[in-house]
Amino acid sequence: MRRAAMALLAKQISPPNLSIMQDEGFTVARVRTELLSGLTVALALVPEAVAFAFVAGVHPLVGLYAAFMVGLITAVFGGRPGMISGATGALAVVMVALVAQHGVEYLFATVVLMGILQIIAGVMHWGKFIRLVPHPVMLGFVNGLAIVIFLAQLTQFKDPENTEAWLASSQLVMMLGLVGLTMLIIWGTPKITAIIPAPLAGIGIVAALVIAVGIDVPTVGDMASIKGGFPSFHNPFGSGEGLYGAALAPFTLETLWIILPYAVILAAIGLIESLLTLNLVGEITGKRGGASQECIAQGASNVVTGFFGGMGGCAMIGQSMINVKSGGRTRIAGIAAALFLLAFIVVASPLIEQIPLAALVGVMFMVVIGTFAWNSFKVMTKVPLMDAFVIVLVTVVTVMTDLAIAVVVGVIVSALAYAWNNARRIHAYTRESESDKGAKVYEIEGPLFFGSTDGFIELFDVAGDPDHVIVDFARSRVVDQSALQAIEALAGKYEAEGKSLVLRHLSRDCHQLLTKAGHLMVDSDDDPDYEVAVDYSVKTGILGGH
């Protein structure tokens, strides 16, 4: 039994592609581009990780350690080289209630369970369901996330001492000027040289200017100190006091019931954001990614992070766009970004803390411009009205709530619109039967499912039909239990009138569905090939006619 289970598990897991360079040529120029791109991403990760730690209500190092560990593990084992992962705001807003009520140790325990759930999703290949996300939902996701990234940067224009107030007018003007200068440098650098990634050039030049001239603008150090040591193993389960003065989480069922709902939500949000980002990066780079491999990598990174004092994370679309636009295409860029971030924490914090936030905001604003699907305005005038509505809906819900809810809402609305359109397609052609004299044939066209059952019933004239009626499904399919119910109800109506109803030309899947339900009174399997037309009588009273 155990061997059979292990064999089944082995079949579920395919060997991952862990090549460092993938199909990129190993050259000095390529390695340089990857390292510089990683450095750019690491610089942009610092304020993001600190800010998301504040959102979750935890120490800044909890966010920084998560960005390092999640970023490193997913870079090495993930399904899409070039994608960057770390602590994200989408997860932080869910964590805040747990931290406030139970403390940071329960958060670490939740992150471990979250990772286990993501690994299970990867092993079971559930990542493939991301294919069900329609393109309008993807457009809405991209636009919504671009707006969220933009709005998140506005907090950098607030007074560090009073986050409700804007910076003083002189500082605000200087901040805006430096942001504009950074954006100008990023725009112009590719026209001059491709040796240095444009975002890195923007950060470096503006930081050097601010430090040399002594301009008084908010810096990374004004947010919080990022100085720390190497992350060390920490078991969040037990009794007594843990990190940052919080009580450890007892290893009990009571703890499980506390953290399980949060873990499920975090796992779902993390995978949805990661897989959508994986698809987006794949579209930009023209390469496919492994969804199941990415799920397992995300899960493993969160399990490790939970045992090393990190807040967990998932893919970051902003940093991924910085990396891709800077030329990062391989695992080297992601690994370099994580290692540079660790170096910032351990040895280079005094230098990194002097970087003006304006330079990093300028980089993120350029990311917003590059991420937003500007062609969606043109697309919405050319696609069906419902698709245009879904684009706007997902964008708004992403901004107002979070990504996971927006995607689920978008998929549900798209699915309902699809069901409605298919429900309207069912119709029938009637004729006299050539093989059964006096019988009437209804040739059904369109799928018979929950949305079309009412229309299906209305196609028939039970009172006016002859004693023998044939329903031909050559151009139709019986899809679900609602369809079975409709067929039984229709047969019951003809039976009550003393008339017979038979089904003809059932496809193989329709035949199996009806046979399983017990509706077919004739057991024949030749009909799917349409060699001999078999008439299937229908048993009534199985599912109930109500």
Side-chain angles (χ1 to χ4, degrees):
M1 187 71 180
R2 182 182 297 177
R3 288 183 179 179
M6 293 301 293
L8 180 61
L9 180 62
K11 289 181 180 179
Q12 292 289 326
I13 303 175
S14 56
N17 183 357
L18 301 180
S19 171
I20 292 293
M21 298 301 291
Q22 297 289 55
D23 53 356
E24 300 288 340
F26 193 93
T27 63
V28 173
R30 167 51 54 190
V31 173
R32 182 187 65 237
T33 298
E34 298 291 328
L35 291 177
L36 291 177
S37 180
L39 176 59
T40 307
V41 170
L43 291 171
L45 275 172
V46 173
E48 295 281 298
V50 172
F52 295 145
F54 284 153
V55 170
V58 296
H59 193 279
L61 284 177
V62 176
L64 290 167
Y65 286 152
F68 160 64
M69 287 179 285
V70 174
L72 179 62
I73 294 172
T74 55
V76 174
F77 300 105
R80 174 66 274 159
M83 199 166 79
I84 303 297
S85 297
T88 65
L91 300 181
V93 295
V94 177
M95 297 171 178
V96 61
L98 175 65
V99 174
Q101 189 172 358
H102 298 283
V104 71
E105 296 293 342
Y106 278 79
L107 172 61
F108 297 150
T110 302
V111 171
V112 172
L113 181 56
M114 161 192 173
I116 293 172
L117 295 176
Q118 290 177 328
I119 292 174
I120 293 173
V123 171
M124 300 301 294
H125 295 289
W126 291 342
K128 63 186 177 184
F129 290 111
I130 201 68
R131 301 171 189 170
L132 298 178
V133 177
H135 190 66
V137 176
M138 281 291 295
L139 283 178
F141 152 75
V142 169
N143 291 347
L145 229 53
I147 295 172
V148 169
I149 293 172
F150 172 79
L151 295 176
Q153 305 313 307
L154 298 183
T155 58
Q156 311 302 345
F157 295 92
K158 301 290 186 70
D159 189 337
E161 303 297 329
N162 180 13
T163 55
E164 298 297 324
W166 295 97
L167 292 170
S169 56
S170 58
Q171 272 193 322
L172 185 59
V173 171
M174 184 60 68
M175 183 89 167
L176 290 171
L178 292 174
V179 169
L181 176 61
T182 304
M183 296 174 70
L184 183 63
I185 294 171
I186 294 173
W187 173 80
T189 298
K191 303 179 185 301
I192 301 173
T193 179
I195 296 177
I196 301 176
L200 181 60
I203 294 171
I205 293 173
V206 171
L209 176 65
V210 169
I211 294 172
V213 180
I215 301 175
D216 183 23
V217 290
T219 63
V220 172
D222 291 329
M223 294 184 68
S225 173
I226 66 169
K227 182 177 179 58
F230 289 97
S232 57
F233 179 81
H234 169 70
N235 186 0
F237 300 102
S239 58
E241 185 176 299
L243 299 178
Y244 312 107
L248 291 171
F251 194 71
T252 62
L253 280 176
E254 182 181 356
T255 299
L256 175 63
W257 298 132
I258 292 173
I259 67 176
L260 181 60
Y262 291 99
V264 171
I265 294 171
L266 291 171
I269 294 174
L271 289 184
I272 290 173
E273 184 160 356
S274 298
L275 294 175
L276 289 178
T277 304
L278 180 141
N279 285 349
L280 182 62
V281 172
E283 288 180 6
I284 295 174
T285 60
K287 299 174 183 177
R288 295 185 62 186
S292 297
Q293 183 178 337
E294 185 62 36
C295 292
I296 294 174
Q298 292 287 339
S301 69
N302 282 309
V303 171
V304 173
T305 302
F307 281 115
F308 279 82
M311 61 184 284
C314 63
M316 307 179 75
I317 187 171
Q319 276 64 27
S320 297
M321 291 299 101
I322 291 175
N323 185 45
V324 171
K325 297 296 174 63
S326 299
R329 293 291 185 276
T330 73
R331 298 187 187 279
I332 291 179
I335 294 170
L339 295 178
F340 277 128
L341 181 60
L342 179 62
F344 296 162
I345 298 170
V346 177
V347 298
S349 58
L351 179 62
I352 301 303
E353 288 173 6
Q354 296 182 56
I355 295 177
L357 290 174
L360 301 175
V361 170
V363 171
M364 298 309 295
F365 278 174
M366 292 300 287
V367 169
V368 169
I369 294 173
T371 301
F372 194 91
W374 300 100
N375 69 323
S376 59
F377 293 112
K378 183 179 179 180
V379 167
M380 285 192 291
T381 64
K382 299 180 180 297
V383 299
L385 182 62
M386 180 54 66
D387 287 343
F389 172 73
V390 169
I391 294 173
V392 175
L393 176 66
V394 174
T395 300
V396 172
V397 176
T398 299
V399 175
M400 300 301 294
T401 56
D402 62 59
L403 169 68
I405 293 177
V407 171
V408 170
V409 168
V411 170
I412 290 175
V413 171
S414 297
L416 290 176
Y418 174 79
W420 175 251
N421 289 333
N422 275 278
R424 290 160 44 188
R425 291 176 182 169
I426 195 163
H427 58 281
Y429 297 102
T430 60
R431 60 177 173 82
E432 288 188 9
S433 175
E434 297 177 1
S435 58
D436 299 84
K437 296 301 181 182
K440 182 177 181 180
V441 178
Y442 284 86
E443 294 183 352
I444 308 299
E445 290 197 1
L448 179 56
F449 68 112
F450 68 88
S452 60
T453 53
D454 287 344
F456 172 74
I457 295 292
E458 293 170 0
L459 297 175
F460 297 87
D461 180 13
V462 178
D465 282 343
D467 291 340
H468 188 49
V469 174
I470 300 169
V471 184
D472 192 326
F473 283 95
R475 297 185 183 89
S476 181
R477 291 293 181 272
V478 180
V479 177
D480 58 11
Q481 188 261 339
S482 296
L484 299 178
Q485 193 89 33
I487 291 174
E488 181 179 315
L490 181 65
K493 289 184 178 182
Y494 278 103
E495 190 177 89
E497 293 284 336
K499 302 175 181 180
S500 65
L501 175 76
V502 296
L503 312 181
R504 180 174 291 177
H505 288 150
L506 294 174
S507 65
R508 189 175 300 278
D509 55 340
C510 299
H511 181 278
Q512 291 173 347
L513 185 64
L514 287 159
T515 300
K516 182 179 179 181
H519 280 306
L520 299 188
M521 298 175 67
V522 179
D523 185 14
S524 174
D525 201 28
D526 60 355
D527 210 22
D529 298 320
Y530 303 138
E531 296 172 356
V532 179
V534 178
D535 291 337
Y536 298 101
S537 298
V538 181
K539 289 181 181 178
T540 57
I542 295 175
L543 300 178
H546 304 288

